[in-house]
Amino acid sequence: MMMQQTTAPAPLRPVSAPFGAAVPPPEGAGGATAARGFRAAGIRAGFRKEPGRLDLALVVADEPCACAAVFTKNVFCSAPVAVSREQLDGAGYGTARAVVVNSGNANAATGEAGLEAARRTAQIAADAVGCPASEVLVASTGVIGVHLPLDPFVSGVPAAAAALSIAGGSDAARAIMTTDTRPKEAVATFSGDGAGYDGCTFTVGGMAKGSGMIMPDMATMIAVLTTDAPVAPDALHGALVRAVGESFNKVTVDSDTSTNDSCFLFASGAAASGGAPAFDPNGPAFERFEEALHAVCQSLARAMASDGEGATRLVTVNVSGAATPADADAAARAVANSPLVKTAVYGHDANWGRIAAAIGKSGATFRQEDAAIDIMGMPVCRGGLTVAFDEDEALRRFEAPEVVIDVDLGAGDEETTVWTCDLTHDYVTINGDYRS
């Protein structure tokens, strides 16, 4: 499998490549249009104040295809989340043709008027694309509590439909940004050789936005993922839930969960030979598909963490030696969400006591005399006690774009990874005047 990450500044850990040679995405394509059978566009429709800022994205499958989605669990969910759930019959999967996303207005806490605006948006897009409104999903991101105007959709969606192309994927990725400083795209490919699809090369690609209000479920993110592999809707949903659990739900910037989180996955099947059956969920082709999907989702998740509002460093928190998966997750999140840990990273301070305090309050079961902590590969705590280290060397290692914290609880065999970022003065500045 080959995985190409196009946005995150920090290097990824190597991704295994047992199933195919590295190939670039199609020339000019974005992540969401790297898979065959999809086109996209990103335009300025007028939702945002900034002149020239793209603010409307449209991603369309050439034909109706399998689709799955996962959404925020925030009770204060937005109208687009409610409507997209309706479109997928409340099951989280079905058949769809397109998704339209606007930035600059979340259409959240807008009542019945907001629901009507979301449904009307789906109809406008359906008319422009040439499909039933039931095959269009919707998503919005931006300020909460402001009614969503329809005029930008009335003029913008037909313009976006006219501009649809494979090259439009990159514009779509820019159009969904809010406080993001850069678009986020990723692509992975895998071979069907020896798995019942000889001669076929399949692609998973995607785009995402997310910078602040980042904490499961699923972070303040919107993601559109596509694949040209043949996958049935129910199996697609199961794969997406698992991938999100190990990627987008392992990201935290500020421990807040958005009202609008949405992650869509479309499967066109366009890379399979004519009449090829859907992947067997228990077969090797599906296993390879899941590996590629996980790689793309983790790449986008890391890109979101590294682009956290005001962030200067991606922070990776690895917890091992936990008694249960829940303990591993609780300990990792306690460290990743700690303002004291995050400000220490910003200040290049290897203050391991803050990490120890965070895991100690997490609720995870362990004994302090069994715990070990490393920062940037440097042992700083063993057996719950300090280990002498070179402060100058620590400062040098903090210059890396990714700061890695390793914690071993010494209580079992479970482990996990959570991604976050440092906490800076700019985070306060950005969020202090977000509506200005």
Side-chain angles (χ1 to χ4, degrees), residues 62-324:
D62 293 343
E63 303 289 341
C65 65
C67 179
V70 291
F71 302 99
T72 183
K73 294 182 181 179
N74 194 314
V75 174
F76 239 104
C77 72
S78 68
V81 167
V83 170
S84 290
R85 281 176 174 153
E86 290 175 359
Q87 302 291 64
L88 296 173
D89 298 323
Y93 60 88
T95 300
R97 179 81 190 279
V99 58
V100 58
V101 185
N102 74 276
S103 63
N105 186 313
N107 193 12
T110 49
E112 190 59 40
L115 292 169
E116 179 57 30
R119 295 187 184 109
R120 180 63 182 141
T121 299
Q123 185 62 63
I124 292 169
D127 293 342
V129 171
C131 69
S134 60
E135 292 182 353
V136 178
L137 303 170
V138 292
S140 299
T141 180
V143 177
I144 295 170
V146 178
H147 287 287
L148 181 66
L150 285 175
D151 286 348
F153 289 112
V154 172
S155 59
V157 170
L164 288 169
S165 69
I166 292 175
S170 292
D171 283 342
R174 285 189 286 273
I176 65 175
M177 292 165 52
T178 49
T179 57
D180 307 65
T181 66
R182 51 188 175 269
K184 300 166 179 67
E185 301 176 273
V187 176
T189 62
F190 63 99
S191 171
D193 290 347
Y197 298 83
D198 290 351
C200 297
T201 297
F202 300 102
T203 299
V204 178
M207 66 177 184
K209 61 79 54 182
S211 187
M213 244 182 156
I214 296 285
M215 175 73 173
D217 305 296
M218 293 169 302
T220 179
M221 58 156 283
I222 290 175
V224 179
L225 311 171
T226 60
T227 182
D228 47 26
V231 185
D234 57 344
L236 196 69
H237 184 253
L240 181 61
V241 169
R242 288 187 289 273
V244 165
E246 294 302 318
S247 58
F248 300 125
N249 277 347
K250 295 291 186 179
V251 175
T252 178
V253 167
D254 46 22
S255 79
D256 277 320
T257 298
S258 170
T259 57
N260 288 59
D261 310 338
S262 301
C263 180
F264 305 99
L265 173 58
F266 293 80
S268 69
S273 303
F279 287 171
D280 176 359
N282 298 311
F286 193 85
E287 181 181 355
R288 297 175 189 183
F289 161 68
E290 286 212 73
E291 182 180 350
L293 178 62
H294 278 246
V296 167
C297 289
Q298 288 196 3
S299 171
L300 294 172
R302 285 169 53 91
M304 286 195 299
S306 69
D307 193 29
E309 289 174 338
T312 68
R313 295 290 183 275
L314 170 65
V315 181
T316 297
V317 181
N318 299 312
V319 171
S320 61
T324 67

